[in-house]
Amino acid sequence: MFDRYEAGELAILVHIDFADDSTKEDIHELQMLVTSAGVAVADVLTGSRAAPHAKYFVGSGKAEEIAALVRAHQANVVIFNHSLSPSQERNLEALCQCRVLDRTGLILDIFAQRARTHEGKLQVELAQLSHIATRLIRGWTHLERQKGGIGLRGPGETQLETDRRLLRARIKTIQRRLVKVQKQREQGRRARKRNEIPTLSLVGYTNAGKSTLFNTITDANVYAADQLFATLDPTLRKIELPDVGAAILADTVGFIRHLPHDLVAAFKATLQETQEADLLLHVVDYADDQYGDNMGQVNDVLNEIDAGDIPQLIICNKIDRLEGVQPRIDYDDEGRPIRVWLSAQQGIGVDLLHIALTECLAQTMQILTLNIPATDGKIRSVLYEYNCITEQHYDDAGNWVAAIRLPMTVWYQLDKRYEGALSQYAGIAPQQEDDYLTDK
């Protein structure tokens, strides 16, 4: 459909420094992306410009230099560490006589290699089709079709129009399938909410160590490697936390600076695990000199998917590569854990993470003992319905004594529904309850 040069295994990398900080990219990150894609690097060409050139992005002289490098190394793909317009890609391909990929195309290629599940493959295909929709180049007039009949003379669809129509139809088909996947995930989330199981979502810059930490906590066997985008398909596991009970931990795709909007849109079903989480575990590679900038990039993506307001626990990972840094928990002025320093690969400080998670989630839980008269079967049945009873027995007076654990929001809703009966059975006086709610 696309009549493009085939991408190969030997690449020329192009990195240009611009004066505008918002468009700057990292050459080391490009090399890691290329390695993750399984492509060998023949040469790296760098330069600087005030602004991109309209025709070749790099200027005609630098474009000729790229073409000369392609011929000298017999390279079969040129990879830019920037986003190119469709016309710039076509002009460069015509000059270099080989495939030209920009940063977005390279990321999409890596995602296509890593997709394993049906959902992941659909999401990658949707992102790829959205990206190449503006890059269709065929417009052969000899394939124009004449419409038959009097009064209907004239050219029919060109090949380019046909390609666009087929591509739009395929995009709509994939979107319908992903809607079904999204509904299935929503059913799972609703079931977890009915059982009052909190959800924790691992987020962070790509290659920060999320999957390694996920495997360490859950004893899972999720693929983890020292490469960008090792994880693509989301994985969920159940874990047990002291004083909190069961929780769901989700491992998600890593973020990267200037993450293509096509990917954010395509992975909406996957990113919903992050949007619906009770707590985000923001994993940061503190051994990376650019960890501060990487954290900012992750928070930008979280804001883009409407997950910026979800509470975060910062996981300062890879402390085994830092001198003089010991595993510890940092607290804010209110005594809430805000950072945990650990090494997921070495297993150092993981026990502190369990403590911090328990403290974070326990602050959102209501843990009380209720003394309920035997005549109040309605309260008893609703507590059974919410599956929140941890211990129970009868006292000498025949009252039902139940230790419960409920999310604060559910406790307030039930107490309001039954006009303060739960607070009364918990021994919380009305004035005490007002003070209690104010403190919380």
Side-chain angles (χ1 to χ4, degrees), residues 41-64:
V41 178
D43 206 340
V44 180
L45 186 67
T46 60
S48 59
R49 285 185 63 87
H53 188 272
K55 184 175 182 180
Y56 292 121
F57 187 84
V58 292
S60 56
K62 187 69 72 172
E64 291 288 351

mmCIF file of all heavy atoms in Angstrom, residues 41-64:
data_model
loop_
_atom_site.group_PDB
_atom_site.id
_atom_site.type_symbol
_atom_site.label_atom_id
_atom_site.label_comp_id
_atom_site.label_asym_id
_atom_site.label_seq_id
_atom_site.Cartn_x
_atom_site.Cartn_y
_atom_site.Cartn_z
ATOM 1 N N VAL A 41 24.360 0.178 14.336
ATOM 2 C CA VAL A 41 24.661 1.567 13.996
ATOM 3 C C VAL A 41 25.949 1.615 13.176
ATOM 4 O O VAL A 41 27.011 1.176 13.632
ATOM 5 C CB VAL A 41 24.804 2.428 15.263
ATOM 6 C CG1 VAL A 41 25.164 3.864 14.896
ATOM 7 C CG2 VAL A 41 23.511 2.398 16.072
ATOM 8 N N ALA A 42 25.864 2.158 11.966
ATOM 9 C CA ALA A 42 27.047 2.291 11.108
ATOM 10 C C ALA A 42 27.800 3.583 11.397
ATOM 11 O O ALA A 42 29.026 3.607 11.418
ATOM 12 C CB ALA A 42 26.644 2.251 9.638
ATOM 13 N N ASP A 43 27.048 4.669 11.635
ATOM 14 C CA ASP A 43 27.678 5.961 11.896
ATOM 15 C C ASP A 43 26.648 6.884 12.533
ATOM 16 O O ASP A 43 25.432 6.674 12.395
ATOM 17 C CB ASP A 43 28.199 6.578 10.597
ATOM 18 C CG ASP A 43 29.364 7.532 10.845
ATOM 19 O OD1 ASP A 43 29.500 7.995 12.003
ATOM 20 O OD2 ASP A 43 30.127 7.799 9.906
ATOM 21 N N VAL A 44 27.140 7.900 13.238
ATOM 22 C CA VAL A 44 26.285 8.898 13.883
ATOM 23 C C VAL A 44 26.677 10.273 13.354
ATOM 24 O O VAL A 44 27.843 10.654 13.413
ATOM 25 C CB VAL A 44 26.414 8.858 15.419
ATOM 26 C CG1 VAL A 44 25.516 9.918 16.048
ATOM 27 C CG2 VAL A 44 26.070 7.474 15.964
ATOM 28 N N LEU A 45 25.701 10.991 12.846
ATOM 29 C CA LEU A 45 25.931 12.321 12.301
ATOM 30 C C LEU A 45 25.255 13.345 13.208
ATOM 31 O O LEU A 45 24.060 13.239 13.485
ATOM 32 C CB LEU A 45 25.378 12.428 10.883
ATOM 33 C CG LEU A 45 25.687 13.726 10.130
ATOM 34 C CD1 LEU A 45 27.171 13.828 9.829
ATOM 35 C CD2 LEU A 45 24.880 13.802 8.846
ATOM 36 N N THR A 46 26.007 14.303 13.695
ATOM 37 C CA THR A 46 25.454 15.341 14.563
ATOM 38 C C THR A 46 25.636 16.701 13.917
ATOM 39 O O THR A 46 26.449 16.883 12.997
ATOM 40 C CB THR A 46 26.132 15.327 15.942
ATOM 41 O OG1 THR A 46 27.547 15.562 15.770
ATOM 42 C CG2 THR A 46 25.930 13.991 16.634
ATOM 43 N N GLY A 47 24.891 17.661 14.398
ATOM 44 C CA GLY A 47 24.971 19.014 13.892
ATOM 45 C C GLY A 47 24.130 19.937 14.741
ATOM 46 O O GLY A 47 23.549 19.523 15.748
ATOM 47 N N SER A 48 24.063 21.182 14.359
ATOM 48 C CA SER A 48 23.258 22.155 15.094
ATOM 49 C C SER A 48 22.615 23.117 14.101
ATOM 50 O O SER A 48 23.194 23.441 13.060
ATOM 51 C CB SER A 48 24.118 22.921 16.106
ATOM 52 O OG SER A 48 25.170 23.603 15.456
ATOM 53 N N ARG A 49 21.422 23.538 14.435
ATOM 54 C CA ARG A 49 20.674 24.471 13.603
ATOM 55 C C ARG A 49 19.841 25.366 14.497
ATOM 56 O O ARG A 49 19.495 24.998 15.633
ATOM 57 C CB ARG A 49 19.748 23.740 12.623
ATOM 58 C CG ARG A 49 20.435 23.104 11.433
ATOM 59 C CD ARG A 49 19.404 22.535 10.481
ATOM 60 N NE ARG A 49 18.543 23.566 9.928
ATOM 61 C CZ ARG A 49 18.832 24.277 8.840
ATOM 62 N NH1 ARG A 49 19.977 24.059 8.188
ATOM 63 N NH2 ARG A 49 18.012 25.187 8.395
ATOM 64 N N ALA A 50 19.489 26.522 13.979
ATOM 65 C CA ALA A 50 18.587 27.397 14.719
ATOM 66 C C ALA A 50 17.153 26.891 14.622
ATOM 67 O O ALA A 50 16.377 26.997 15.574
ATOM 68 C CB ALA A 50 18.681 28.827 14.184
ATOM 69 N N ALA A 51 16.802 26.325 13.448
ATOM 70 C CA ALA A 51 15.445 25.807 13.225
ATOM 71 C C ALA A 51 15.515 24.746 12.138
ATOM 72 O O ALA A 51 16.444 24.737 11.320
ATOM 73 C CB ALA A 51 14.499 26.938 12.812
ATOM 74 N N PRO A 52 14.539 23.815 12.088
ATOM 75 C CA PRO A 52 14.546 22.765 11.055
ATOM 76 C C PRO A 52 14.418 23.359 9.651
ATOM 77 O O PRO A 52 13.740 24.368 9.443
ATOM 78 C CB PRO A 52 13.328 21.908 11.404
ATOM 79 C CG PRO A 52 13.055 22.190 12.837
ATOM 80 C CD PRO A 52 13.449 23.619 13.059
ATOM 81 N N HIS A 53 15.079 22.709 8.693
ATOM 82 C CA HIS A 53 14.963 23.089 7.288
ATOM 83 C C HIS A 53 13.645 22.545 6.743
ATOM 84 O O HIS A 53 13.238 21.433 7.065
ATOM 85 C CB HIS A 53 16.150 22.518 6.505
ATOM 86 C CG HIS A 53 16.244 23.010 5.092
ATOM 87 N ND1 HIS A 53 15.597 22.376 4.050
ATOM 88 C CD2 HIS A 53 16.906 24.069 4.552
ATOM 89 C CE1 HIS A 53 15.868 23.027 2.929
ATOM 90 N NE2 HIS A 53 16.664 24.052 3.210
ATOM 91 N N ALA A 54 12.982 23.331 5.905
ATOM 92 C CA ALA A 54 11.649 22.948 5.441
ATOM 93 C C ALA A 54 11.679 21.699 4.571
ATOM 94 O O ALA A 54 10.782 20.854 4.659
ATOM 95 C CB ALA A 54 11.017 24.102 4.674
ATOM 96 N N LYS A 55 12.716 21.550 3.729
ATOM 97 C CA LYS A 55 12.722 20.444 2.778
ATOM 98 C C LYS A 55 13.360 19.184 3.347
ATOM 99 O O LYS A 55 12.795 18.098 3.249
ATOM 100 C CB LYS A 55 13.466 20.866 1.503
ATOM 101 C CG LYS A 55 13.440 19.809 0.402
ATOM 102 C CD LYS A 55 14.081 20.311 -0.880
ATOM 103 C CE LYS A 55 13.994 19.252 -1.977
ATOM 104 N NZ LYS A 55 14.624 19.714 -3.244
ATOM 105 N N TYR A 56 14.541 19.329 3.948
ATOM 106 C CA TYR A 56 15.286 18.151 4.414
ATOM 107 C C TYR A 56 15.437 18.072 5.935
ATOM 108 O O TYR A 56 16.093 17.172 6.433
ATOM 109 C CB TYR A 56 16.691 18.142 3.796
ATOM 110 C CG TYR A 56 16.725 17.916 2.312
ATOM 111 C CD1 TYR A 56 17.291 18.854 1.465
ATOM 112 C CD2 TYR A 56 16.192 16.753 1.757
ATOM 113 C CE1 TYR A 56 17.334 18.656 0.092
ATOM 114 C CE2 TYR A 56 16.238 16.542 0.388
ATOM 115 C CZ TYR A 56 16.805 17.494 -0.439
ATOM 116 O OH TYR A 56 16.842 17.277 -1.789
ATOM 117 N N PHE A 57 14.897 19.024 6.663
ATOM 118 C CA PHE A 57 15.011 19.113 8.117
ATOM 119 C C PHE A 57 16.417 19.548 8.533
ATOM 120 O O PHE A 57 16.575 20.285 9.497
ATOM 121 C CB PHE A 57 14.661 17.777 8.790
ATOM 122 C CG PHE A 57 14.606 17.850 10.301
ATOM 123 C CD1 PHE A 57 13.464 18.279 10.943
ATOM 124 C CD2 PHE A 57 15.705 17.510 11.074
ATOM 125 C CE1 PHE A 57 13.404 18.366 12.335
ATOM 126 C CE2 PHE A 57 15.665 17.599 12.456
ATOM 127 C CZ PHE A 57 14.504 18.022 13.090
ATOM 128 N N VAL A 58 17.462 19.080 7.847
ATOM 129 C CA VAL A 58 18.837 19.345 8.254
ATOM 130 C C VAL A 58 19.563 20.319 7.332
ATOM 131 O O VAL A 58 20.713 20.649 7.574
ATOM 132 C CB VAL A 58 19.644 18.024 8.315
ATOM 133 C CG1 VAL A 58 19.150 17.150 9.423
ATOM 134 C CG2 VAL A 58 19.599 17.304 6.975
ATOM 135 N N GLY A 59 18.945 20.756 6.259
ATOM 136 C CA GLY A 59 19.644 21.610 5.308
ATOM 137 C C GLY A 59 20.218 20.783 4.173
ATOM 138 O O GLY A 59 20.580 19.615 4.344
ATOM 139 N N SER A 60 20.363 21.368 3.005
ATOM 140 C CA SER A 60 20.768 20.610 1.820
ATOM 141 C C SER A 60 22.183 20.054 1.937
ATOM 142 O O SER A 60 22.463 18.922 1.518
ATOM 143 C CB SER A 60 20.653 21.502 0.575
ATOM 144 O OG SER A 60 21.427 22.691 0.747
ATOM 145 N N GLY A 61 23.121 20.835 2.513
ATOM 146 C CA GLY A 61 24.491 20.355 2.642
ATOM 147 C C GLY A 61 24.595 19.150 3.561
ATOM 148 O O GLY A 61 25.250 18.148 3.234
ATOM 149 N N LYS A 62 23.919 19.221 4.724
ATOM 150 C CA LYS A 62 23.942 18.104 5.659
ATOM 151 C C LYS A 62 23.196 16.898 5.073
ATOM 152 O O LYS A 62 23.576 15.742 5.317
ATOM 153 C CB LYS A 62 23.310 18.535 6.983
ATOM 154 C CG LYS A 62 23.419 17.514 8.110
ATOM 155 C CD LYS A 62 24.850 17.358 8.580
ATOM 156 C CE LYS A 62 25.331 18.562 9.358
ATOM 157 N NZ LYS A 62 26.654 18.343 9.982
ATOM 158 N N ALA A 63 22.134 17.153 4.293
ATOM 159 C CA ALA A 63 21.405 16.053 3.656
ATOM 160 C C ALA A 63 22.302 15.304 2.672
ATOM 161 O O ALA A 63 22.279 14.064 2.605
ATOM 162 C CB ALA A 63 20.158 16.579 2.951
ATOM 163 N N GLU A 64 23.108 16.041 1.896
ATOM 164 C CA GLU A 64 24.055 15.394 0.982
ATOM 165 C C GLU A 64 25.098 14.590 1.761
ATOM 166 O O GLU A 64 25.524 13.516 1.331
ATOM 167 C CB GLU A 64 24.753 16.454 0.126
ATOM 168 C CG GLU A 64 23.851 17.152 -0.885
ATOM 169 C CD GLU A 64 23.470 16.233 -2.041
ATOM 170 O OE1 GLU A 64 24.042 15.122 -2.139
ATOM 171 O OE2 GLU A 64 22.602 16.635 -2.846
#
